[in-house]
């Protein structure tokens, strides 16, 4: 199941699994605190084995175009999981003053 949530109104659960699906260089420039780089080009069923089947996977990108595509791809691999697309991505998070990190 895929849901959408505006990143600016999202309250990150303490143990949230957050995948930033941009490439490594964009991720290194700035990413939401706690996000793991999982580039869209490398998403596979193997990636999903790293996350417990009952955990929601939160997905974001830079501005909101790659994350919905990534969620569709993941849902096609395993539609029994819950995926949440964080709309607005890193840019909206930065504009809202949410904490961002730099580096890989």
């Amino acid at each position: 199941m895929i849901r959408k949530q505006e990143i600016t109104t999202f309250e990150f659960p303490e143990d949230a699994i957050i995948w930033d699906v941009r490439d490594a260089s964009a991720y290194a420039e700035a990413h939401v605190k706690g996000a793991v780089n999982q580039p869209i080009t490398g998403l596979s069923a193997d990636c999903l084995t790293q996350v417990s089947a009952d955990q929601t996977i939160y997905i974001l990108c830079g501005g909101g175009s790659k994350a919905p595509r990534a969620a569709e791809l993941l849902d096609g691999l395993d539609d029994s999981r819950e995926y949440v697309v964080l709309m607005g991505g890193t840019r909206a998070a930065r504009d809202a003053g949410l904490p961002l990190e730099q580096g890989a």
Side-chain angles (χ1 to χ4, degrees), residues 17-101:
I17 303 297
I18 307 165
W19 285 0
D20 186 321
V21 297
R22 298 174 297 155
D23 63 45
S25 63
Y27 173 82
E29 284 179 28
H31 55 272
V32 170
K33 185 176 180 180
V36 174
N37 190 215
Q38 200 68 269
I40 192 171
T41 56
L43 292 178
S44 66
D46 188 50
C47 295
L48 291 172
T49 64
Q50 302 169 27
V51 179
S52 175
D54 64 343
Q55 280 196 286
T56 300
I57 299 175
Y58 299 92
I59 304 166
L60 61 86
C61 57
S65 62
K66 284 184 185 168
R69 288 194 325 245
E72 291 288 337
L73 174 68
L74 292 167
D75 194 53
L77 296 170
D78 185 351
D79 65 359
S80 68
R81 292 176 174 266
E82 182 176 17
Y83 307 98
V84 177
V85 176
L86 298 174
M87 302 303 292
T90 305
R91 277 180 241 139
R94 180 193 61 225
D95 294 346
L98 297 175
L100 299 181
E101 297 178 332

